[in-house]
Each structure stands twice: as C-alpha cells, then as structure tokens.
C-alpha cells in the first residue's frame, strides 16, 4: 500500500516511474491510474499465491525489498520538496 501511495505522489509531481513493467502499464492503459492499480493488484495476487503455497521466506524477502523501495521513495520526495522550497 505504501508503494502505491509513494508512486501516486511521484506521478502527481510529474516524476516518471522507474520500474519498466509499471511504466509499460501506465503508458498502455486507458488511464494511468488504472494501469497502476492493475500492476499493484497483480503484485497482491502473487503475494497471496506465495502465502497460500507456503513461500513465507520469499514473501519476507519481497517485503524487505518493498520497504527499501518505499524508504527510498520517501527520502526522494522529502529531498525534492526541500529543494523546491
């Protein structure tokens, strides 16, 4: 959820998405928000699949990766906001 929110914040500030899969979905969907939600729902579905199949170790690693990405995004937003002020 935090990744979705930070991605939305970047989009509102005109910053281009770095993930090529998300960038593809944003470019070729009828509305960018629909493409973003579709990618996030796919990720959620994969997470549920891994959980149901007992791949907790993989889920832990993915959660750590997303925590790092969200932290990076928040730092970038804060630094960008400080520079604009």
């Amino acid at each position: 959820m935090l990744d979705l929110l930070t991605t939305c914040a970047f989009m509102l500030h005109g910053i281009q998405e770095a993930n090529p899969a998300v960038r593809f979905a944003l470019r070729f969907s009828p509305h960018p928000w629909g493409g973003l939600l579709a990618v996030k729902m796919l990720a959620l579905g994969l997470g549920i699949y891994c959980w149901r199949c007992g791949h907790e170790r993989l889920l832990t690693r993915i959660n750590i990766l997303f925590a790092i990405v969200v932290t990076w995004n928040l730092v970038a937003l804060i630094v960008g906001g400080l520079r604009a002020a």
Side-chain angles (χ1 to χ4, degrees):
M1 192 64 175
L2 290 174
D3 182 50
L4 173 69
L5 292 173
T6 57
T7 301
C8 290
F10 276 146
M11 289 173 60
L12 290 172
H13 286 91
I15 300 170
Q16 194 173 30
E17 174 62 44
N19 182 332
V22 176
R23 198 171 39 230
F24 178 83
L26 293 173
R27 187 176 306 136
F28 292 106
S29 67
H31 192 278
W33 300 108
L36 179 61
L37 287 175
V39 169
K40 299 306 177 182
M41 293 304 292
L42 177 64
L44 179 63
L46 286 171
I48 291 170
Y49 172 79
C50 287
W51 172 64
R52 302 238 343 161
C53 291
H55 298 292
E56 286 86 10
R57 188 172 173 190
L58 175 61
L59 281 175
T60 300
R61 289 178 179 171
I62 291 170
N63 279 326
I64 291 169
L65 174 67
F66 272 103
I68 292 168
V69 168
V70 167
T71 302
W72 175 264
N73 289 348
L74 289 173
V75 168
L77 286 168
I78 291 167
V79 169
L82 291 175
R83 287 186 184 163

